[in-house]
Amino acid sequence: MSIGHTLLGLLESGPRHGYDLKRAFDAHFGQDRPLHYGQVYSTMSRLLKNGLVEVDAVEPGAGPERKRYAITNAGVTDVAQWLARPEKPEPYLQSTLYTKIVLALLTDRDAAELLDTQRAEHLRLMRGLTERKRTGDLADQLICDHALFHLEADLRWLELTAARLGKLAEAVRA
């Protein structure tokens, strides 16, 4: 996720302080990975330097002065371009799990056990996501669906690999 673009998008509704940006980010996108204040301010500094935001106001606070940021026309254009650009699908052509399976076979370890352990871990995570989806709001449901679909694809791959383990062992040991 592009944090800079996300913060710019949040600013389109109106100027905000860094604290308010962090709260809005966490409310919409940061349930599993909240944004750190330092990351907000370093990102805003970079956006300011690049002309995508401006300081709308400086207000005295209990500590340092509080800056309120506003998006510039260049920032609006940048967000629009980012939103219009499709994300590159990321196929896992060099998966760590595949590497572990091959190394287990090459070193005469039990690759089937490795697959079983991984399957159990996937199922454990899927149970947790299913519960979160059941009790969550619409955003949680959509995020959990995305993760569950990926985990289901992984499970299908695990089953396929387990079915072909003998042939894979012959191929890697040849």
Side-chain angles (χ1 to χ4, degrees):
M1 175 189 323
S2 170
I3 292 170
H5 286 113
T6 305
L7 294 177
L8 284 172
L10 291 171
L11 281 173
E12 281 202 51
S13 64
R16 298 181 189 214
H17 295 95
Y19 175 81
D20 297 326
L21 283 168
K22 182 211 177 330
R23 285 189 14 204
F25 181 97
D26 289 352
H28 292 290
F29 314 108
Q31 185 170 5
D32 295 313
R33 184 181 267 171
L35 197 57
H36 296 287
Y37 284 107
Q39 195 169 12
V40 171
Y41 293 110
S42 65
T43 301
M44 295 311 296
S45 178
R46 188 181 78 252
L47 295 172
L48 186 63
K49 179 180 160 192
N50 293 337
L52 302 176
V53 298
E54 61 191 10
V55 175
D56 180 61
V58 178
E59 303 165 356
E65 293 180 326
R66 295 181 50 186
K67 294 179 184 173
R68 189 172 65 195
Y69 299 95
I71 191 168
T72 63
N73 288 336
V76 172
T77 300
D78 195 55
V79 170
Q81 291 172 345
W82 177 68
L83 289 173
R85 200 170 40 242
E87 290 296 311
K88 179 183 174 197
E90 294 291 336
Y92 300 106
L93 295 179
Q94 205 41 272
S95 111
T96 303
L97 188 52
Y98 173 77
T99 302
K100 285 183 169 186
I101 301 297
V102 170
L103 286 175
L105 292 170
L106 288 172
T107 59
D108 292 324
R109 289 183 171 89
D110 190 349
E113 183 179 331
L114 192 153
L115 288 167
D116 289 342
T117 300
Q118 190 63 49
R119 186 180 305 105
E121 182 60 17
H122 271 62
L123 291 171
R124 183 194 65 74
L125 182 56
M126 289 175 81
R127 282 189 296 276
L129 287 168
T130 300
E131 177 60 20
R132 177 176 164 183
K133 178 182 166 182
R134 188 183 68 72
T135 61
D137 60 11
L138 180 58
D140 259 352
Q141 292 169 14
L142 290 169
I143 289 169
C144 289
D145 279 340
H146 187 261
L148 285 164
F149 293 151
H150 282 273
L151 289 169
E152 286 173 5
D154 286 351
L155 279 176
R156 286 194 311 269
W157 182 85
L158 290 168
E159 295 300 326
L160 180 67
T161 303
R164 295 178 174 172
L165 204 52
K167 288 185 179 189
L168 181 60
E170 289 174 16
V172 300
R173 292 177 182 149

PDB file of all heavy atoms in Angstrom, residues 87-96 98 146 150 153-154 157:
ATOM      1  N   GLU A  87      -3.176  -2.234 -10.148  1.00  0.00           N
ATOM      2  CA  GLU A  87      -2.090  -2.863  -9.396  1.00  0.00           C
ATOM      3  C   GLU A  87      -1.569  -4.050 -10.183  1.00  0.00           C
ATOM      4  O   GLU A  87      -2.351  -4.777 -10.806  1.00  0.00           O
ATOM      5  CB  GLU A  87      -2.585  -3.338  -8.025  1.00  0.00           C
ATOM      6  CG  GLU A  87      -2.887  -2.216  -7.070  1.00  0.00           C
ATOM      7  CD  GLU A  87      -1.652  -1.410  -6.709  1.00  0.00           C
ATOM      8  OE1 GLU A  87      -0.624  -2.003  -6.350  1.00  0.00           O
ATOM      9  OE2 GLU A  87      -1.728  -0.171  -6.790  1.00  0.00           O
ATOM     10  N   LYS A  88      -0.288  -4.253 -10.153  1.00  0.00           N
ATOM     11  CA  LYS A  88       0.307  -5.391 -10.840  1.00  0.00           C
ATOM     12  C   LYS A  88      -0.004  -6.666 -10.054  1.00  0.00           C
ATOM     13  O   LYS A  88       0.309  -6.755  -8.864  1.00  0.00           O
ATOM     14  CB  LYS A  88       1.824  -5.203 -10.934  1.00  0.00           C
ATOM     15  CG  LYS A  88       2.522  -6.349 -11.607  1.00  0.00           C
ATOM     16  CD  LYS A  88       4.025  -6.156 -11.610  1.00  0.00           C
ATOM     17  CE  LYS A  88       4.685  -7.401 -12.166  1.00  0.00           C
ATOM     18  NZ  LYS A  88       6.087  -7.475 -11.839  1.00  0.00           N
ATOM     19  N   PRO A  89      -0.644  -7.626 -10.690  1.00  0.00           N
ATOM     20  CA  PRO A  89      -0.863  -8.903  -9.998  1.00  0.00           C
ATOM     21  C   PRO A  89       0.495  -9.515  -9.638  1.00  0.00           C
ATOM     22  O   PRO A  89       1.433  -9.454 -10.427  1.00  0.00           O
ATOM     23  CB  PRO A  89      -1.600  -9.758 -11.032  1.00  0.00           C
ATOM     24  CG  PRO A  89      -2.183  -8.781 -11.983  1.00  0.00           C
ATOM     25  CD  PRO A  89      -1.224  -7.616 -12.019  1.00  0.00           C
ATOM     26  N   GLU A  90       0.590 -10.041  -8.447  1.00  0.00           N
ATOM     27  CA  GLU A  90       1.856 -10.584  -7.964  1.00  0.00           C
ATOM     28  C   GLU A  90       1.803 -12.102  -7.887  1.00  0.00           C
ATOM     29  O   GLU A  90       1.421 -12.664  -6.865  1.00  0.00           O
ATOM     30  CB  GLU A  90       2.182 -10.009  -6.578  1.00  0.00           C
ATOM     31  CG  GLU A  90       2.460  -8.526  -6.566  1.00  0.00           C
ATOM     32  CD  GLU A  90       3.756  -8.142  -7.255  1.00  0.00           C
ATOM     33  OE1 GLU A  90       4.669  -8.985  -7.365  1.00  0.00           O
ATOM     34  OE2 GLU A  90       3.844  -6.994  -7.699  1.00  0.00           O
ATOM     35  N   PRO A  91       2.155 -12.780  -8.964  1.00  0.00           N
ATOM     36  CA  PRO A  91       2.204 -14.245  -8.870  1.00  0.00           C
ATOM     37  C   PRO A  91       3.396 -14.669  -8.021  1.00  0.00           C
ATOM     38  O   PRO A  91       4.436 -14.018  -8.026  1.00  0.00           O
ATOM     39  CB  PRO A  91       2.375 -14.675 -10.329  1.00  0.00           C
ATOM     40  CG  PRO A  91       3.023 -13.513 -10.990  1.00  0.00           C
ATOM     41  CD  PRO A  91       2.554 -12.280 -10.263  1.00  0.00           C
ATOM     42  N   TYR A  92       3.211 -15.708  -7.270  1.00  0.00           N
ATOM     43  CA  TYR A  92       4.275 -16.209  -6.406  1.00  0.00           C
ATOM     44  C   TYR A  92       5.082 -17.256  -7.157  1.00  0.00           C
ATOM     45  O   TYR A  92       4.945 -18.445  -6.911  1.00  0.00           O
ATOM     46  CB  TYR A  92       3.693 -16.811  -5.124  1.00  0.00           C
ATOM     47  CG  TYR A  92       2.896 -15.817  -4.330  1.00  0.00           C
ATOM     48  CD1 TYR A  92       1.511 -15.868  -4.304  1.00  0.00           C
ATOM     49  CD2 TYR A  92       3.525 -14.815  -3.609  1.00  0.00           C
ATOM     50  CE1 TYR A  92       0.776 -14.951  -3.589  1.00  0.00           C
ATOM     51  CE2 TYR A  92       2.803 -13.897  -2.884  1.00  0.00           C
ATOM     52  CZ  TYR A  92       1.426 -13.965  -2.878  1.00  0.00           C
ATOM     53  OH  TYR A  92       0.705 -13.061  -2.158  1.00  0.00           O
ATOM     54  N   LEU A  93       5.908 -16.792  -8.085  1.00  0.00           N
ATOM     55  CA  LEU A  93       6.653 -17.737  -8.905  1.00  0.00           C
ATOM     56  C   LEU A  93       7.890 -18.285  -8.190  1.00  0.00           C
ATOM     57  O   LEU A  93       8.474 -19.260  -8.636  1.00  0.00           O
ATOM     58  CB  LEU A  93       7.057 -17.075 -10.233  1.00  0.00           C
ATOM     59  CG  LEU A  93       5.879 -16.703 -11.127  1.00  0.00           C
ATOM     60  CD1 LEU A  93       6.369 -16.040 -12.400  1.00  0.00           C
ATOM     61  CD2 LEU A  93       5.040 -17.928 -11.458  1.00  0.00           C
ATOM     62  N   GLN A  94       8.311 -17.669  -7.126  1.00  0.00           N
ATOM     63  CA  GLN A  94       9.455 -18.163  -6.368  1.00  0.00           C
ATOM     64  C   GLN A  94       9.065 -18.173  -4.897  1.00  0.00           C
ATOM     65  O   GLN A  94       9.478 -17.343  -4.122  1.00  0.00           O
ATOM     66  CB  GLN A  94      10.673 -17.274  -6.642  1.00  0.00           C
ATOM     67  CG  GLN A  94      12.037 -17.910  -6.440  1.00  0.00           C
ATOM     68  CD  GLN A  94      12.182 -19.322  -6.940  1.00  0.00           C
ATOM     69  OE1 GLN A  94      11.893 -20.265  -6.222  1.00  0.00           O
ATOM     70  NE2 GLN A  94      12.643 -19.501  -8.158  1.00  0.00           N
ATOM     71  N   SER A  95       8.210 -19.101  -4.541  1.00  0.00           N
ATOM     72  CA  SER A  95       7.677 -19.129  -3.188  1.00  0.00           C
ATOM     73  C   SER A  95       8.648 -19.782  -2.209  1.00  0.00           C
ATOM     74  O   SER A  95       9.334 -20.754  -2.528  1.00  0.00           O
ATOM     75  CB  SER A  95       6.322 -19.827  -3.189  1.00  0.00           C
ATOM     76  OG  SER A  95       6.344 -21.055  -2.555  1.00  0.00           O
ATOM     77  N   THR A  96       8.671 -19.245  -1.018  1.00  0.00           N
ATOM     78  CA  THR A  96       9.503 -19.791   0.057  1.00  0.00           C
ATOM     79  C   THR A  96       9.069 -21.212   0.381  1.00  0.00           C
ATOM     80  O   THR A  96       9.898 -22.085   0.642  1.00  0.00           O
ATOM     81  CB  THR A  96       9.407 -18.904   1.307  1.00  0.00           C
ATOM     82  OG1 THR A  96       9.805 -17.576   0.952  1.00  0.00           O
ATOM     83  CG2 THR A  96      10.284 -19.418   2.426  1.00  0.00           C
ATOM     84  N   TYR A  98       7.732 -23.465  -1.621  1.00  0.00           N
ATOM     85  CA  TYR A  98       8.262 -24.376  -2.649  1.00  0.00           C
ATOM     86  C   TYR A  98       9.737 -24.654  -2.387  1.00  0.00           C
ATOM     87  O   TYR A  98      10.186 -25.799  -2.454  1.00  0.00           O
ATOM     88  CB  TYR A  98       8.065 -23.781  -4.049  1.00  0.00           C
ATOM     89  CG  TYR A  98       8.739 -24.601  -5.117  1.00  0.00           C
ATOM     90  CD1 TYR A  98       8.173 -25.792  -5.564  1.00  0.00           C
ATOM     91  CD2 TYR A  98       9.959 -24.209  -5.657  1.00  0.00           C
ATOM     92  CE1 TYR A  98       8.803 -26.560  -6.529  1.00  0.00           C
ATOM     93  CE2 TYR A  98      10.594 -24.971  -6.629  1.00  0.00           C
ATOM     94  CZ  TYR A  98      10.012 -26.144  -7.067  1.00  0.00           C
ATOM     95  OH  TYR A  98      10.642 -26.910  -8.009  1.00  0.00           O
ATOM     96  N   HIS A 146     -10.624 -11.414   1.068  1.00  0.00           N
ATOM     97  CA  HIS A 146      -9.419 -11.344   0.229  1.00  0.00           C
ATOM     98  C   HIS A 146      -8.351 -12.301   0.755  1.00  0.00           C
ATOM     99  O   HIS A 146      -7.784 -13.101   0.007  1.00  0.00           O
ATOM    100  CB  HIS A 146      -8.903  -9.901   0.199  1.00  0.00           C
ATOM    101  CG  HIS A 146      -7.791  -9.679  -0.741  1.00  0.00           C
ATOM    102  ND1 HIS A 146      -6.472  -9.637  -0.335  1.00  0.00           N
ATOM    103  CD2 HIS A 146      -7.766  -9.492  -2.090  1.00  0.00           C
ATOM    104  CE1 HIS A 146      -5.702  -9.432  -1.384  1.00  0.00           C
ATOM    105  NE2 HIS A 146      -6.461  -9.341  -2.456  1.00  0.00           N
ATOM    106  N   HIS A 150      -6.926 -16.091  -0.890  1.00  0.00           N
ATOM    107  CA  HIS A 150      -5.509 -16.387  -1.113  1.00  0.00           C
ATOM    108  C   HIS A 150      -5.093 -17.652  -0.357  1.00  0.00           C
ATOM    109  O   HIS A 150      -4.345 -18.481  -0.887  1.00  0.00           O
ATOM    110  CB  HIS A 150      -4.639 -15.199  -0.709  1.00  0.00           C
ATOM    111  CG  HIS A 150      -4.630 -14.107  -1.715  1.00  0.00           C
ATOM    112  ND1 HIS A 150      -3.744 -14.082  -2.769  1.00  0.00           N
ATOM    113  CD2 HIS A 150      -5.394 -13.011  -1.852  1.00  0.00           C
ATOM    114  CE1 HIS A 150      -3.967 -13.020  -3.508  1.00  0.00           C
ATOM    115  NE2 HIS A 150      -4.969 -12.346  -2.981  1.00  0.00           N
ATOM    116  N   ALA A 153      -6.335 -20.719  -2.141  1.00  0.00           N
ATOM    117  CA  ALA A 153      -5.469 -21.041  -3.285  1.00  0.00           C
ATOM    118  C   ALA A 153      -4.200 -21.742  -2.801  1.00  0.00           C
ATOM    119  O   ALA A 153      -3.744 -22.718  -3.417  1.00  0.00           O
ATOM    120  CB  ALA A 153      -5.128 -19.780  -4.067  1.00  0.00           C
ATOM    121  N   ASP A 154      -3.643 -21.263  -1.708  1.00  0.00           N
ATOM    122  CA  ASP A 154      -2.460 -21.918  -1.138  1.00  0.00           C
ATOM    123  C   ASP A 154      -2.776 -23.355  -0.736  1.00  0.00           C
ATOM    124  O   ASP A 154      -1.966 -24.261  -0.966  1.00  0.00           O
ATOM    125  CB  ASP A 154      -1.954 -21.159   0.100  1.00  0.00           C
ATOM    126  CG  ASP A 154      -1.258 -19.857  -0.230  1.00  0.00           C
ATOM    127  OD1 ASP A 154      -0.990 -19.583  -1.421  1.00  0.00           O
ATOM    128  OD2 ASP A 154      -0.981 -19.098   0.719  1.00  0.00           O
ATOM    129  N   TRP A 157      -2.797 -25.559  -3.647  1.00  0.00           N
ATOM    130  CA  TRP A 157      -1.421 -25.829  -4.068  1.00  0.00           C
ATOM    131  C   TRP A 157      -0.777 -26.870  -3.154  1.00  0.00           C
ATOM    132  O   TRP A 157      -0.077 -27.773  -3.621  1.00  0.00           O
ATOM    133  CB  TRP A 157      -0.597 -24.534  -4.076  1.00  0.00           C
ATOM    134  CG  TRP A 157       0.795 -24.756  -4.540  1.00  0.00           C
ATOM    135  CD1 TRP A 157       1.235 -24.776  -5.834  1.00  0.00           C
ATOM    136  CD2 TRP A 157       1.941 -25.032  -3.733  1.00  0.00           C
ATOM    137  NE1 TRP A 157       2.587 -25.038  -5.876  1.00  0.00           N
ATOM    138  CE2 TRP A 157       3.043 -25.199  -4.593  1.00  0.00           C
ATOM    139  CE3 TRP A 157       2.141 -25.149  -2.365  1.00  0.00           C
ATOM    140  CZ2 TRP A 157       4.329 -25.474  -4.127  1.00  0.00           C
ATOM    141  CZ3 TRP A 157       3.415 -25.428  -1.899  1.00  0.00           C
ATOM    142  CH2 TRP A 157       4.491 -25.588  -2.789  1.00  0.00           C
TER     143      TRP A 157
END
